[in-house]
Amino acid sequence: MKNTFFFILSVLSVFCFGQVKSVKIDTILAPDIGGIKQVIEIKTDDSNKPVLLFLSGGPGSSMIKNAEVFTNLLKDRFTLVQWDQRDAGKTLELNPSPNQPSVAQMEKDTYEVINFLTKELKQKKIYLLGSSWGNVLGFNMVKNHPELLHAYFAVNPVVSQLKSEKELLKTLKVQFKENPVANKELTNVHIPFTKDEDLFYLRKWLFYREGKEYVLSDDFKKGFLEWSKTWSPVWNEVMTIDLRKTLQKVDCPIYFFVGENDIQTSTAITKEYFKQLKAPKKGLFLFENSGHQIHKDEPQKFQNTIIEVIN
């Protein structure tokens, strides 16, 4: 494993049969990716199982801590890989990004991570899954390096976020028209965003709509605006992406997972995009009891659907 280990939880049970080696791995690595150490967690009871890499949402979020909830069924079928992107989770703890993150930099990081995995695990292709923001990175791989992918799972994907944010603002204004505080704050939101408070007020009332009352606290606002110092420039880049115009045909199988109640990345926009997208194989799976977090809202159905697809 050379010098890529951050630390090793355990690597057990090497079995040989002819030229095929089966290795049980429960490991955290920290290879050099994009000029810094980036943390990658690999778990499998058989390293010959196909690789499934998760691209977490955010940006700036990590899926590692709660992964067991939405991978307890998948672990029997895949070599599971979680990656903490630059300035997120364990990677941020290890070393902050020396430069302001950008979409282009993180797309390059993603390509490097996948190349690292294919070499480390001796597999030519992987399965890739993007959640929310992770789809910005995932669709770039689909567009530019489909040869590295068995298939792509687009979970609550970012398709045209500018249009999504505009529709979200309309929905929230209608819902909170009788709430004077919400009405005032939402009225002042400008799209495209001109200041960090624009996105803050949108997310504040979206999350409040979902029952998260902590968003009314000063601490939440302070934390969100601190997040914005790093990630607002990236999100403003995301707002310029419109896959309906830039990616109308792909060269690998692609499967969309959409929460019926998702108004953060518009379900209607995703359905429209799915219809027009040309692919060698594609599928659209609707999750009736989910919003923007399918893997948390319906973790068993989420996993079983992935398994059905690969079968």
Side-chain angles (χ1 to χ4, degrees):
M1 300 292 182
K2 301 179 182 179
N3 297 319
T4 57
F5 282 101
F6 174 48
F7 69 88
I8 303 176
L9 299 179
S10 61
V11 180
L12 305 170
S13 309
V14 178
F15 305 98
C16 295
F17 182 77
Q19 298 299 311
V20 179
K21 292 183 180 180
S22 173
V23 183
K24 181 175 181 179
I25 307 173
D26 190 344
T27 303
I28 291 182
L29 312 177
D32 288 320
I33 301 292
I36 62 173
K37 298 288 186 182
Q38 299 205 32
V39 173
I40 298 171
E41 179 188 79
I42 305 174
K43 290 189 175 186
T44 185
D45 60 7
D46 179 357
S47 57
N48 292 315
K49 289 180 177 178
V51 175
L52 174 58
L53 169 62
F54 290 82
L55 301 177
S56 64
S61 296
S62 169
M63 298 177 82
I64 288 179
K65 185 177 180 180
N66 300 311
E68 176 64 24
V69 175
F70 56 86
T71 61
N72 62 313
L73 302 177
L74 295 174
K75 65 184 179 182
D76 294 329
R77 304 299 299 272
F78 293 97
T79 293
L80 296 172
V81 182
Q82 302 285 348
W83 162 43
D84 277 356
Q85 300 159 20
R86 66 175 58 232
D87 275 6
K90 295 180 183 296
T91 294
L92 177 58
E93 293 174 12
L94 193 59
N95 46 197
S97 177
N99 305 309
Q100 168 67 47
S102 68
V103 169
Q105 176 63 69
M106 298 180 77
E107 288 173 344
K108 291 178 183 177
D109 288 353
T110 307
Y111 179 62
E112 287 188 38
V113 166
I114 292 175
N115 274 321
F116 170 79
L117 290 172
T118 56
K119 293 175 183 176
E120 194 78 4
L121 296 168
K122 297 178 175 59
Q123 298 197 25
K124 293 182 179 180
K125 295 185 178 186
I126 70 167
Y127 287 95
L128 187 62
L129 185 151
S131 176
S132 187
W133 140 265
N135 286 281
V136 174
L137 309 178
F139 273 108
N140 179 69
M141 287 300 304
V142 169
K143 180 179 181 179
N144 294 312
H145 299 286
E147 74 282 356
L148 294 176
L149 306 180
H150 292 299
Y152 182 62
F153 297 98
V155 182
N156 292 111
V158 171
V159 173
S160 175
Q161 199 57 28
L162 178 63
K163 187 174 180 180
S164 272
E165 301 287 8
K166 288 179 178 179
E167 291 187 4
L168 173 60
L169 181 58
K170 290 179 182 177
T171 299
L172 294 176
K173 281 183 175 180
V174 171
Q175 177 152 2
F176 291 110
K177 63 181 179 180
E178 303 299 330
N179 182 320
V181 176
N183 187 54
K184 179 181 178 181
E185 291 179 349
L186 292 170
T187 298
N188 289 327
V189 170
H190 183 273
I191 300 176
F193 305 132
T194 58
K195 55 187 183 300
D196 291 345
E197 284 78 5
D198 288 332
L199 181 58
F200 166 70
Y201 289 130
L202 263 188
R203 294 299 181 265
K204 171 183 175 180
W205 294 108
L206 169 63
F207 296 161
Y208 186 77
R209 178 182 183 271
E210 296 171 348
K212 301 170 183 175
E213 295 192 2
Y214 64 82
V215 299
L216 301 180
S217 69
D218 290 338
D219 285 344
F220 176 74
K221 183 175 184 179
K222 181 180 178 182
F224 192 96
L225 294 180
E226 187 65 29
W227 171 92
S228 297
K229 292 177 182 178
T230 298
W231 297 112
S232 279
V234 176
W235 199 246
N236 286 334
E237 285 188 78
V238 172
M239 295 280 282
T240 67
I241 296 171
D242 191 339
L243 296 179
R244 301 170 303 172
K245 298 177 181 178
T246 61
L247 188 60
Q248 298 172 345
K249 179 180 180 294
V250 301
D251 294 322
C252 71
I254 187 166
Y255 304 95
F256 290 77
F257 288 24
V258 181
E260 285 277 31
N261 304 311
D262 184 12
I263 60 173
Q264 187 169 332
T265 52
S266 167
T267 297
I269 292 174
T270 301
K271 288 179 177 178
E272 172 195 343
Y273 179 57
F274 172 80
K275 289 180 181 178
Q276 77 173 57
L277 183 66
K278 296 179 180 178
K281 186 179 291 187
K282 66 178 184 177
L284 175 66
F285 301 93
L286 301 176
F287 292 75
E288 295 81 3
N289 299 314
S290 292
H292 190 62
Q293 300 285 331
I294 291 173
H295 64 290
K296 293 181 180 179
D297 294 337
E298 298 182 73
Q300 286 196 316
K301 182 179 178 182
F302 167 75
Q303 295 177 82
N304 283 327
T305 305
I306 293 173
I307 292 169
E308 287 171 11
V309 166
I310 67 166
N311 285 343

